[in-house]
Amino acid sequence: MEIVCIMCGAACALEVKEKKGLLEVKGNICRRGEVYGRKEYINPQRTVTTLFPIKGGGFVPCKTSLPVDKELIFDVLKAIKSSSAPKPIKAGKVLIKNILGTNADIVATSNVY
Amino acid sequence: MKKEYDVAVIGGGPAGMASALAADREGASVILLEKDKALGGRLNQCIHNGYGQSIFNKDLTGTEYANKLIELINNSCVEYLLNTEVTEISLDKKISCINFGKRFQINAKSIVLSTGCREKAFDYLIDKKGIYTAGQAQRIINLEGKKIGENAVVLGSDDLALIVARRLIYEGAKVLCVVEPAPYPSASIKNISYCLSDYGIPLCLNSHIQSIEGEEKVEGVHIVTDTKNGQKKEFIPCDTLIVSMGLQPQYELLDKLNIEKENLTNTAVIDQKRQTSIEGFFLTGDALIIHSSIADITFEGEVAGKNAALYAKEQSESKNSISVEVESSDLIEYALSHNNIISVKVKSSNLIEYALPQRINTLDHKVKIYFRVKKTLRDARLDIFSQDELIYAKKFVVISPEELVEAEVNIQGVKGNLTISMEA
Ligand SMILES: Cc1cc2nc3c(=O)[nH]c(=O)nc-3n(C[C@H](O)[C@H](O)[C@H](O)COP(=O)(O)OP(=O)(O)OC[C@H]3O[C@@H](n4cnc5c(N)ncnc54)[C@H](O)[C@@H]3O)c2cc1C
């Protein structure tokens, strides 16, 4: 698999391969590339940020408290869209606990009074 | 509210809040003036994460970062006025304000301008429905909670453009491609990966939009791409065009006072205190130069705020400054002139965009000089000379255009002009 390393501006083109059950990362000029390449190959994760609906209209910005599996991003967005929470909401409030069993919570990132 | 303050800070974004807090810590009386209904500036529409790591040691969203600063402001002695636009400042530091049609004046001993930036204007037909600037699209989606289209094309590949592209995808729209006239994208590698590659959005380099189809509404765009074998043309049907032509410092309030500027880059000339060519007037944040990291903004703001407070305390400090001038070179150079002020200029260069500060007071021991490169440089070497003596050298494996690179230079005893040279 080809992965562009994002750890710095060098943007090394990594090539990650499985060889006899072992992962091999090529193309990196430093150790951080090796770590990033492995993580992206085995289990890429992202923090998701979007708007969370407020009961009766309006919204509050929110995020996942931890990065979630990349392939779950759209399921997470869908789950957020079909939920809602009443006002007032303070930044840091947990809006959905353990979303889709990921261990990440959906947390408000701003205040709405 | 009083009418007299030591320091007035104009613009309540992260730079302004950091300035006000730093001035407050110096014991100055501080007023912060913000034209919007809340503090936070541009951060209020940045719901994405990627902020705060180096300052609060946590990955925060723009809104969370803003809230942290607002909390600090609320726990300080800084006074602030919302819905208050500054319309004019005079040389004797009288600040004209307007708040819901009510005019009033505030006097200060020193002034920090932190009014942020604006998006560069573009020549496309803006009277067609479906064309938005990237910042405008971000505001509509994130602050008004509205959707803006189904099928979008994005022109420009800076961080703002890519963050908006991902935001459109999250709201259920399709982003058909990102069109970039240059042969390389201008966003950080992280945003290219996390905003484009993750969602399979194609990046069309060496491309521009030749024309827009549709009478009243955008119905599609004609894209022309320069290739080795000539031009390739393609029509992409779409209902939305997002344009991101870059950001531009907004400091007209000071410009009207005729502060010294660099003609080439149109940036204001400042010294290491972030003081402009007129004593007691400081400039910081995106109003000074476009920053890509909130850590730089916060640091810059603190430097300006602290020095504005010190200026207010003893209004005579600035007599000991030096000026650095940069000689022509196709890389970068600096130069130093007489007394304690050296002046710094970036010569027309195809490697360096600009360097700050352009003036240095050599009574300081160490000065951080910041610069930005025009394109990604590998195995680059930075040398700083005072006259013919090498006083600083640094090697870089890579430097990319989105980072503000710093060089901390020991200037104690330096007497002559500084010259900065960059080789790659
Ligand atoms: C899309 C985008 C994404 C970014 N992402 C990141 C990121 O992931 N991580 C990161 O570290 N940085 C990021 N940045 C950079 C950072 O957000 C900005 O550089 C920063 O917010 C600018 O701060 P500022 O205080 O200089 O200006 P602003 O935030 O623009 O604040 C200026 C304030 O001045 C007020 N004002 C203007 N004129 C007047 C007047 N005449 N009177 C009174 N008030 C006035 C405005 O209302 C505004 O509140 C991003 C920037 C953009 C554009």
Side-chain angles (χ1 to χ4, degrees):
Chain A
M1 183 158 76
E2 281 168 24
I3 294 166
V4 179
C5 180
I6 64 158
M7 298 316 287
C8 78
C12 294
L14 309 177
E15 189 167 344
V16 188
K17 268 197 277 195
E18 262 181 86
K19 254 192 183 163
K20 295 179 192 147
L22 286 177
L23 269 193
E24 187 185 82
V25 180
K26 275 189 190 162
N28 53 312
I29 55 174
C30 78
R31 169 92 191 122
R32 291 190 298 165
E34 162 108 29
V35 175
Y36 182 76
R38 283 173 176 276
K39 170 84 181 123
E40 277 294 288
Y41 184 87
I42 301 167
N43 180 22
Q45 290 186 315
R46 304 285 185 264
T47 297
V48 179
T49 60
T50 187
L51 299 179
F52 193 95
I54 289 178
K55 261 198 188 96
F59 49 86
V60 63
C62 68
K63 68 173 185 183
T64 55
S65 58
L66 301 168
V68 297
D69 292 356
K70 196 168 116 179
E71 60 202 30
L72 287 178
I73 292 175
F74 287 99
D75 296 326
V76 167
L77 288 168
K78 223 161 128 194
I80 291 172
K81 241 195 179 121
S82 57
S83 319
S84 69
K87 279 198 277 198
I89 293 170
K90 270 202 78 135
K93 184 187 165 125
V94 174
L95 302 165
I96 302 178
K97 209 142 177 72
N98 186 16
I99 187 154
L100 306 175
T102 56
N103 281 331
D105 299 333
I106 300 300
V107 179
T109 58
S110 192
N111 305 308
V112 176
Y113 300 108
Chain B
M1 189 194 74
K2 297 181 293 188
K3 282 259 183 303
E4 290 268 347
Y5 291 85
D6 291 333
V7 178
V9 180
I10 305 171
M17 287 193 279
S19 286
L21 288 167
D24 179 57
R25 278 198 295 273
E26 291 298 321
S29 61
V30 185
I31 181 87
L32 174 59
L33 303 163
E34 169 56 52
K35 72 172 174 194
D36 214 341
K37 61 177 192 292
L39 295 175
R42 183 180 285 282
L43 293 179
N44 291 331
Q45 70 185 63
C46 292
I47 67 167
H48 60 279
N49 60 309
Y51 293 82
Q53 198 62 264
S54 50
I55 306 258
F56 293 112
N57 225 336
K58 263 193 222 159
D59 182 17
L60 302 175
T61 66
T63 51
E64 289 178 309
Y65 195 92
N67 285 333
K68 289 239 179 220
L69 287 177
I70 293 169
E71 231 168 74
L72 291 173
I73 292 275
N74 285 333
N75 290 327
S76 72
C77 299
V78 173
E79 291 177 43
Y80 61 86
L81 289 175
L82 301 176
N83 300 304
T84 301
E85 181 171 358
V86 172
T87 53
E88 209 181 321
I89 34 190
S90 66
L91 279 173
D92 56 353
K93 306 199 180 75
K94 288 192 173 30
I95 302 164
S96 308
C97 307
I98 185 158
N99 168 296
F100 293 122
K102 236 180 29 231
R103 289 186 183 281
F104 57 93
Q105 225 176 41
I106 284 173
N107 300 331
K109 296 202 180 90
S110 61
I111 293 178
V112 179
L113 196 80
S114 49
T115 42
C117 60
R118 68 162 60 89
E119 295 186 273
K120 284 188 188 153
F122 59 99
D123 305 331
Y124 291 87
L125 298 166
I126 16 184
D127 49 349
K128 274 191 188 121
K129 273 192 202 138
I131 305 183
Y132 304 86
T133 66
Q136 180 190 18
Q138 192 181 46
R139 196 166 57 239
I140 295 172
I141 300 170
N142 291 347
L143 291 184
E144 296 173 23
K146 290 186 188 140
K147 216 179 147 165
I148 63 170
E150 300 292 337
N151 295 292
V153 167
V154 177
L155 174 62
S157 67
D158 54 12
D159 289 314
L160 176 56
L162 303 201
I163 280 168
V164 169
R166 178 178 61 188
R167 195 68 195 100
L168 285 165
I169 301 263
Y170 280 11
E171 286 303 312
K174 284 199 180 77
V175 178
L176 304 164
C177 69
V178 171
V179 179
E180 170 56 55
Y184 42 83
S186 53
S188 70
I189 184 65
K190 181 173 177 186
N191 281 333
I192 292 165
S193 199
Y194 281 18
C195 298
L196 295 188
S197 314
D198 275 3
Y199 306 96
I201 302 172
L203 175 61
C204 309
L205 299 172
N206 298 306
S207 303
H208 63 273
I209 291 179
Q210 195 175 42
S211 59
I212 303 167
E213 219 43 68
E215 281 291 303
E216 280 169 18
K217 252 197 115 300
V218 175
E219 282 163 17
V221 292
H222 292 278
I223 296 175
V224 178
T225 305
D226 293 322
T227 68
K228 277 187 208 117
N229 317 317
Q231 290 195 326
K232 199 187 89 195
K233 293 186 182 178
E234 195 185 354
F235 175 69
I236 301 185
C238 62
D239 59 13
T240 306
L241 175 62
I242 307 285
V243 184
S244 194
M245 294 281 90
L247 305 165
Q248 186 175 20
Q250 171 173 285
Y251 60 97
E252 284 79 2
L253 286 169
L254 275 183
D255 202 11
K256 278 190 207 147
L257 300 181
N258 288 323
I259 53 165
E260 189 183 344
K261 286 193 294 186
E262 263 185 281
N263 291 335
L264 211 65
T265 53
N266 215 25
T267 44
V269 170
I270 50 139
D271 64 13
Q272 73 259 47
K273 298 174 181 168
R274 280 31 180 186
Q275 183 168 232
T276 63
S277 59
I278 308 180
E279 269 187 29
F281 290 86
F282 297 77
L283 185 59
T284 191
D286 280 354
L288 171 61
I289 38 164
I290 304 304
H291 295 71
S292 41
S293 126
I294 201 71
D296 294 337
I297 292 256
T298 310
F299 168 75
E300 285 276 339
E302 285 177 347
V303 172
K306 180 180 170 185
N307 284 298
L310 293 178
Y311 177 88
K313 260 189 226 163
E314 38 182 299
Q315 304 208 349
S316 55
E317 269 229 48
S318 63
K319 289 192 183 103
N320 300 320
S321 302
I322 311 184
S323 101
V324 188
E325 275 191 23
V326 176
E327 296 292 307
S328 64
S329 125
D330 48 357
L331 305 174
I332 8 161
E333 281 182 32
Y334 271 46
L336 211 130
S337 57
H338 39 266
N339 58 47
N340 288 339
I341 304 175
I342 37 183
S343 100
V344 183
K345 271 184 220 154
V346 176
K347 209 33 207 306
S348 56
S349 146
N350 49 4
L351 293 190
I352 302 289
E353 183 85 40
Y354 54 69
L356 285 173
Q358 304 96 331
R359 295 269 186 281
I360 291 174
N361 180 330
T362 55
L363 292 186
D364 265 8
H365 299 301
K366 279 185 173 176
V367 169
K368 280 186 182 166
I369 293 174
Y370 293 86
F371 64 95
R372 199 186 281 270
V373 295
K374 285 187 177 166
K375 58 183 183 198
T376 301
L377 303 180
R378 281 165 203 275
D379 297 321
R381 187 191 153 104
L382 174 75
D383 290 320
I384 303 181
F385 299 92
S386 168
Q387 283 151 348
D388 286 335
E389 187 193 344
L390 182 68
I391 60 163
Y392 183 91
K394 191 172 178 180
K395 283 186 179 163
F396 298 87
V397 181
V398 266
I399 315 180
S400 46
E402 81 276 358
E403 59 186 314
L404 203 57
V405 190
E406 74 175 47
E408 191 171 24
V409 184
N410 191 338
I411 49 156
Q412 210 168 9
V414 165
K415 295 212 175 60
N417 293 340
L418 295 187
T419 308
I420 300 186
S421 103
M422 186 83 180
E423 279 172 44

